[in-house]
Amino acid sequence: MSDRPLRLRFAPSPTGFFHVGGARTALYNWAIALREGGTFVLRIEDTDEARNQPEWTQGIIDALAWIGIDTTDPHFEGPYFQSAYAEQHIAAATRLYEAGHAYYCDLTGEQIQERAKASGKQGYDNYSRDRGLAPGPGRVLRFRVPAGTTVVHDLVRGEVEFDNANIEDFVLLRGSGSPMFLLANVVDDVTMRISHVVRAEEHLPNTPKQQMLWQALGELPPVWAHVPVLVNEQRKKLSKRRDKVAVEQYRDEGILADAMVNYLMTLGWAPAGDTEIVPWSEVVEHFRLEDVKHSPAFFDIKKLNAFNGEYIRAMSVAEFIESSAPYLTSDDVPWPRELFNPVVFDEMAALVQERVSRLDEIVPMVDFLFLADPVIDEAAFTKVMAAPNAVAVLQETIGAYETAEWDADALKETLEAIGAGYELKLGKTQAPIRVAVTGRSVGPPLFEALVLLGRDETQRRLRGALSRFGDAGA
RNA sequence: GCCCCCAUCGUCUAGUGGCCUAGGACACCACCCUUUCAAGGUGGCGGCACGGGUUCGAAUCCCGUUGGGGGUGCCA
């Protein structure tokens, strides 16, 4: 089974956004396809009520492209749509029926429950197995699970043995005649000549059923690999209801694709050596399914952010400026568009770059440069101005900055001298100036910002702060 | 209930019988640097779930217990 051409597949169902767990599974498949010269097949499993399908599908394709899985890459094939192959699925089911591997059953869900209650056992009791029912409306087609055991050879878990006695005769075709997931999935994998099925662990219980289907269809099963699921802080499988799982959302918040990819790969696997931050090329070279951990991994946003900070700081300033642009020119920006000055931002960029871990932190860090008036954080203002001599420092600074040379060093020295008169260190002295000009007590380096703001605007803001005390400054 | 999977610092992991006094990273704490905040540097806190074996030797192998997770649809 391993001498077939290497063909992997990623088979998401279009549910509206791209799940980080799906992204990791896709990446695992992709890394293998790339290194081994195999093919990565994208198949959209849209057989359920897939409303709005084209939109969701495009979302998946865009998200895959973002993490580097590009539809134009020679290793990429697809997308295929499962819904387009319904006839094949049904044809396969018919073959299974004709070969005696499947039979029709007319029991309703209620009837199955009643029988289960009466017998004290759970689930369907294979009641219709030998009733020889013909196909008919409302009748489902069930697979006749053979006696014996099914051994699944799994690249990450080894051999997993299932007693077929614990597997009930599952449904292949609904009463409406439409194919079920288990069947469609296998038939598609067979026709697409898939050699390796790499997917999340939640599918492991399905695997013996699917393997029996492969065999009943006269095919050699693929190599299986079930990777551990991603969990939340409560150690539950990541769910879209309570957890933040949309790749698109992280992208919009300014997580870099490279950082996301790198982080995702370290969940369940680790590059050799003491460094987790490694380029994709190294991942491709070293990733092995056999090395994937067996236990679930917590998707830790803090660590993702830390990775992202590393990637941001590794960029050139020019790259950083380019990546910042969408955030600075979006419609959500707090300043009037006409007041934004890219030249000013570019001057600040290097200082901002080493202070953010996500791109969306840029705007609140530089907003005071482009706002007509800074938004004053009242708590910070009150606290800073209550410090001994804070107001006096403010007053004196206004006077000194009237004539000071307008460069960062001079502004710093001037303020240092003023602070010295009150026996204050620069850290204390700059606080009232910072809050007066930026509105906050934290932010990027002050004097560099003042230079960009200009003397007039700086003085205006300093006086504005002073006037808050009633005794209009100047 | 039944079936299956899993178990190293709080978290992600290294570790495949002696190199382990269990290594790294994130987080946290302290200190240094410092113009606030970061970044950077130094140090610290903190773990092999438990009990039996096997072995000269067990985080590593076996069994059991406990604990967690996944599955159990005419969903995918």
Side-chain angles (χ1 to χ4, degrees), chain A residues 52-65:
Chain A
N52 228 344
Q53 184 210 107
E55 200 179 312
W56 297 150
T57 300
Q58 192 54 46
I60 290 172
I61 290 171
D62 291 346
L64 284 173

PDB file of all heavy atoms in Angstrom, chain A residues 52-65:
ATOM      1  N   ASN A  52     -24.818  28.628   0.724  1.00  0.00           N
ATOM      2  CA  ASN A  52     -23.792  29.646   0.539  1.00  0.00           C
ATOM      3  C   ASN A  52     -22.438  29.050   0.177  1.00  0.00           C
ATOM      4  O   ASN A  52     -21.414  29.618   0.453  1.00  0.00           O
ATOM      5  CB  ASN A  52     -23.639  30.464   1.821  1.00  0.00           C
ATOM      6  CG  ASN A  52     -23.631  31.934   1.511  1.00  0.00           C
ATOM      7  OD1 ASN A  52     -23.450  32.328   0.354  1.00  0.00           O
ATOM      8  ND2 ASN A  52     -23.820  32.757   2.514  1.00  0.00           N
ATOM      9  N   GLN A  53     -22.481  27.915  -0.418  1.00  0.00           N
ATOM     10  CA  GLN A  53     -21.280  27.131  -0.675  1.00  0.00           C
ATOM     11  C   GLN A  53     -20.111  27.848  -1.352  1.00  0.00           C
ATOM     12  O   GLN A  53     -18.988  27.752  -0.875  1.00  0.00           O
ATOM     13  CB  GLN A  53     -21.696  25.902  -1.489  1.00  0.00           C
ATOM     14  CG  GLN A  53     -20.611  24.929  -1.765  1.00  0.00           C
ATOM     15  CD  GLN A  53     -20.878  24.228  -3.072  1.00  0.00           C
ATOM     16  OE1 GLN A  53     -20.221  24.483  -4.066  1.00  0.00           O
ATOM     17  NE2 GLN A  53     -21.880  23.362  -3.084  1.00  0.00           N
ATOM     18  N   PRO A  54     -20.334  28.586  -2.445  1.00  0.00           N
ATOM     19  CA  PRO A  54     -19.189  29.197  -3.149  1.00  0.00           C
ATOM     20  C   PRO A  54     -18.403  30.135  -2.244  1.00  0.00           C
ATOM     21  O   PRO A  54     -17.176  30.157  -2.256  1.00  0.00           O
ATOM     22  CB  PRO A  54     -19.856  29.987  -4.284  1.00  0.00           C
ATOM     23  CG  PRO A  54     -21.238  29.467  -4.392  1.00  0.00           C
ATOM     24  CD  PRO A  54     -21.617  28.956  -3.053  1.00  0.00           C
ATOM     25  N   GLU A  55     -19.127  30.868  -1.422  1.00  0.00           N
ATOM     26  CA  GLU A  55     -18.494  31.828  -0.530  1.00  0.00           C
ATOM     27  C   GLU A  55     -17.590  31.124   0.492  1.00  0.00           C
ATOM     28  O   GLU A  55     -16.439  31.483   0.687  1.00  0.00           O
ATOM     29  CB  GLU A  55     -19.601  32.585   0.194  1.00  0.00           C
ATOM     30  CG  GLU A  55     -19.182  33.895   0.787  1.00  0.00           C
ATOM     31  CD  GLU A  55     -20.376  34.551   1.452  1.00  0.00           C
ATOM     32  OE1 GLU A  55     -21.445  34.620   0.817  1.00  0.00           O
ATOM     33  OE2 GLU A  55     -20.239  34.964   2.614  1.00  0.00           O
ATOM     34  N   TRP A  56     -18.140  30.111   1.145  1.00  0.00           N
ATOM     35  CA  TRP A  56     -17.369  29.384   2.153  1.00  0.00           C
ATOM     36  C   TRP A  56     -16.160  28.714   1.513  1.00  0.00           C
ATOM     37  O   TRP A  56     -15.074  28.687   2.076  1.00  0.00           O
ATOM     38  CB  TRP A  56     -18.216  28.315   2.839  1.00  0.00           C
ATOM     39  CG  TRP A  56     -19.402  28.783   3.635  1.00  0.00           C
ATOM     40  CD1 TRP A  56     -20.555  28.090   3.833  1.00  0.00           C
ATOM     41  CD2 TRP A  56     -19.557  30.008   4.357  1.00  0.00           C
ATOM     42  NE1 TRP A  56     -21.426  28.811   4.618  1.00  0.00           N
ATOM     43  CE2 TRP A  56     -20.837  29.986   4.950  1.00  0.00           C
ATOM     44  CE3 TRP A  56     -18.750  31.139   4.550  1.00  0.00           C
ATOM     45  CZ2 TRP A  56     -21.322  31.029   5.742  1.00  0.00           C
ATOM     46  CZ3 TRP A  56     -19.235  32.185   5.324  1.00  0.00           C
ATOM     47  CH2 TRP A  56     -20.497  32.134   5.909  1.00  0.00           C
ATOM     48  N   THR A  57     -16.383  28.172   0.337  1.00  0.00           N
ATOM     49  CA  THR A  57     -15.291  27.481  -0.329  1.00  0.00           C
ATOM     50  C   THR A  57     -14.164  28.446  -0.659  1.00  0.00           C
ATOM     51  O   THR A  57     -12.991  28.144  -0.446  1.00  0.00           O
ATOM     52  CB  THR A  57     -15.799  26.817  -1.616  1.00  0.00           C
ATOM     53  OG1 THR A  57     -16.812  25.883  -1.252  1.00  0.00           O
ATOM     54  CG2 THR A  57     -14.676  26.108  -2.337  1.00  0.00           C
ATOM     55  N   GLN A  58     -14.529  29.629  -1.128  1.00  0.00           N
ATOM     56  CA  GLN A  58     -13.502  30.618  -1.421  1.00  0.00           C
ATOM     57  C   GLN A  58     -12.758  30.990  -0.141  1.00  0.00           C
ATOM     58  O   GLN A  58     -11.546  31.199  -0.157  1.00  0.00           O
ATOM     59  CB  GLN A  58     -14.135  31.867  -2.055  1.00  0.00           C
ATOM     60  CG  GLN A  58     -13.117  32.821  -2.660  1.00  0.00           C
ATOM     61  CD  GLN A  58     -12.195  32.125  -3.666  1.00  0.00           C
ATOM     62  OE1 GLN A  58     -12.647  31.360  -4.518  1.00  0.00           O
ATOM     63  NE2 GLN A  58     -10.888  32.348  -3.541  1.00  0.00           N
ATOM     64  N   GLY A  59     -13.492  31.034   0.956  1.00  0.00           N
ATOM     65  CA  GLY A  59     -12.861  31.333   2.239  1.00  0.00           C
ATOM     66  C   GLY A  59     -11.802  30.311   2.585  1.00  0.00           C
ATOM     67  O   GLY A  59     -10.707  30.648   3.050  1.00  0.00           O
ATOM     68  N   ILE A  60     -12.108  29.047   2.355  1.00  0.00           N
ATOM     69  CA  ILE A  60     -11.144  27.978   2.630  1.00  0.00           C
ATOM     70  C   ILE A  60      -9.920  28.132   1.733  1.00  0.00           C
ATOM     71  O   ILE A  60      -8.777  28.042   2.191  1.00  0.00           O
ATOM     72  CB  ILE A  60     -11.794  26.595   2.416  1.00  0.00           C
ATOM     73  CG1 ILE A  60     -12.833  26.331   3.511  1.00  0.00           C
ATOM     74  CG2 ILE A  60     -10.731  25.496   2.410  1.00  0.00           C
ATOM     75  CD1 ILE A  60     -13.674  25.090   3.286  1.00  0.00           C
ATOM     76  N   ILE A  61     -10.170  28.382   0.475  1.00  0.00           N
ATOM     77  CA  ILE A  61      -9.060  28.508  -0.471  1.00  0.00           C
ATOM     78  C   ILE A  61      -8.172  29.705  -0.113  1.00  0.00           C
ATOM     79  O   ILE A  61      -6.946  29.618  -0.135  1.00  0.00           O
ATOM     80  CB  ILE A  61      -9.605  28.614  -1.910  1.00  0.00           C
ATOM     81  CG1 ILE A  61     -10.181  27.258  -2.321  1.00  0.00           C
ATOM     82  CG2 ILE A  61      -8.511  29.056  -2.883  1.00  0.00           C
ATOM     83  CD1 ILE A  61     -10.940  27.256  -3.625  1.00  0.00           C
ATOM     84  N   ASP A  62      -8.807  30.814   0.261  1.00  0.00           N
ATOM     85  CA  ASP A  62      -8.043  32.002   0.646  1.00  0.00           C
ATOM     86  C   ASP A  62      -7.210  31.743   1.903  1.00  0.00           C
ATOM     87  O   ASP A  62      -6.049  32.144   1.989  1.00  0.00           O
ATOM     88  CB  ASP A  62      -8.985  33.186   0.906  1.00  0.00           C
ATOM     89  CG  ASP A  62      -9.633  33.688  -0.379  1.00  0.00           C
ATOM     90  OD1 ASP A  62      -9.157  33.304  -1.465  1.00  0.00           O
ATOM     91  OD2 ASP A  62     -10.613  34.459  -0.290  1.00  0.00           O
ATOM     92  N   ALA A  63      -7.837  31.077   2.862  1.00  0.00           N
ATOM     93  CA  ALA A  63      -7.129  30.811   4.117  1.00  0.00           C
ATOM     94  C   ALA A  63      -5.961  29.858   3.865  1.00  0.00           C
ATOM     95  O   ALA A  63      -4.877  30.024   4.424  1.00  0.00           O
ATOM     96  CB  ALA A  63      -8.086  30.226   5.154  1.00  0.00           C
ATOM     97  N   LEU A  64      -6.178  28.865   3.023  1.00  0.00           N
ATOM     98  CA  LEU A  64      -5.093  27.939   2.689  1.00  0.00           C
ATOM     99  C   LEU A  64      -3.950  28.692   2.006  1.00  0.00           C
ATOM    100  O   LEU A  64      -2.781  28.477   2.312  1.00  0.00           O
ATOM    101  CB  LEU A  64      -5.600  26.818   1.775  1.00  0.00           C
ATOM    102  CG  LEU A  64      -6.438  25.717   2.448  1.00  0.00           C
ATOM    103  CD1 LEU A  64      -7.003  24.770   1.401  1.00  0.00           C
ATOM    104  CD2 LEU A  64      -5.615  24.939   3.466  1.00  0.00           C
ATOM    105  N   ALA A  65      -4.322  29.590   1.105  1.00  0.00           N
ATOM    106  CA  ALA A  65      -3.292  30.365   0.403  1.00  0.00           C
ATOM    107  C   ALA A  65      -2.506  31.197   1.415  1.00  0.00           C
ATOM    108  O   ALA A  65      -1.290  31.338   1.309  1.00  0.00           O
ATOM    109  CB  ALA A  65      -3.941  31.258  -0.647  1.00  0.00           C
TER     110      ALA A  65
END
